[in-house]
Amino acid sequence: MDALTVNLWIFAAVTAACWLASVVTREYSWVDRLWSIVPVAYLWVFAADADDARVTLMAVLVTVWGARLTFNFARRGGYAPGGEDYRWGILRERLPGWRFQVFNLVFIAAYQNALLLLITLPAWTASQHPGPLGPADVVATLAFLVLLAGESVADQQRWDFHRAKAAGRADGVLRTGLYRYSRHPNYFCEVGQWWVVFAFGALAAGTAWLATVAGAVLLTLLFVGSTVFTESISAGRNPGFEDYRRSTSMLVPWPPRAATRG
């Protein structure tokens, strides 16, 4: 089988496994637990089949991305029993009974796993247009690493803040460091890395007019929608969040606007 077919079979198996695990355990974060792992597998399937320097470079970069994200997810307890994303519990209250089960099957298990495959398809594009690496690939690699470093710093700042908050040394909203310029700098960097992955495919094909841009576009829309939903919860829990939202860019880092602290 060619690499795309192999990955389609992996996608089908992982989707079914995530859905069955959620039914059996009544936890719905199984896709979250595989989010940083499955794309790495997809990339290496493409790389093994292509024998192309650009696809191999893409696989190496995504592997580093996956290792860092897996570490951050693990230290937050995401792999522990009961480590379900709190937002699924809130959605279960808003979509009781069969409606949440349909949402679980269609969106959580199927759509999110499809998205994880879609964001890796630029590697398939690159495999169809093999060629030597050039200066643009160096620029793309540096952009990926800068975004990776930015996400690492943002996650560490959030980790330190929540530890301080749990110890009673901090309260309110995190609005220092990278969070002074973006309410979600980690999300911005995460999405940006997958746009760089698409850029590698575009460099190989010699055009940005590619259907495989769908992965980066849909990932961006998912993060925007997820951010809006998460912030609706934060606004209800933290009185100071509205002031932070008025003064600080949602995703794209930008100098903060003047605002009165709440």
Side-chain angles (χ1 to χ4, degrees), residues 56-157:
T56 301
L57 174 60
M58 295 168 72
V60 170
L61 291 174
V62 170
T63 300
V64 177
W65 162 87
R68 192 215 66 82
L69 193 58
T70 299
F71 162 76
N72 189 62
F73 190 73
R75 70 174 173 174
R76 290 165 47 203
Y79 294 109
E84 180 186 77
D85 189 319
Y86 72 94
R87 291 172 294 186
W88 297 139
I90 293 172
L91 277 173
R92 282 199 300 274
E93 295 176 358
R94 298 182 182 181
L95 298 172
W98 65 269
R99 286 175 291 181
F100 182 80
Q101 293 307 319
V102 171
F103 178 82
N104 175 42
L105 175 62
V106 174
F107 179 79
I108 299 179
Y111 178 77
Q112 289 195 115
N113 270 302
L115 182 56
L116 291 180
L117 176 60
L118 287 173
I119 60 177
T120 67
L121 289 184
W124 176 70
T125 298
S127 72
Q128 304 304 300
H129 302 85
L133 297 170
D137 295 285
V138 175
V139 173
T141 300
L142 291 174
F144 188 96
L145 293 175
V146 167
L147 290 164
L148 180 71
E151 188 174 19
S152 301
V153 171
D155 281 341
Q156 185 63 44
Q157 289 174 346

Side-chain angles (χ1 to χ4, degrees), residues 160-174:
D160 291 341
F161 175 76
H162 282 295
R163 292 189 70 185
K165 200 171 183 178
R169 299 192 306 271
D171 57 13
V173 179
L174 172 58

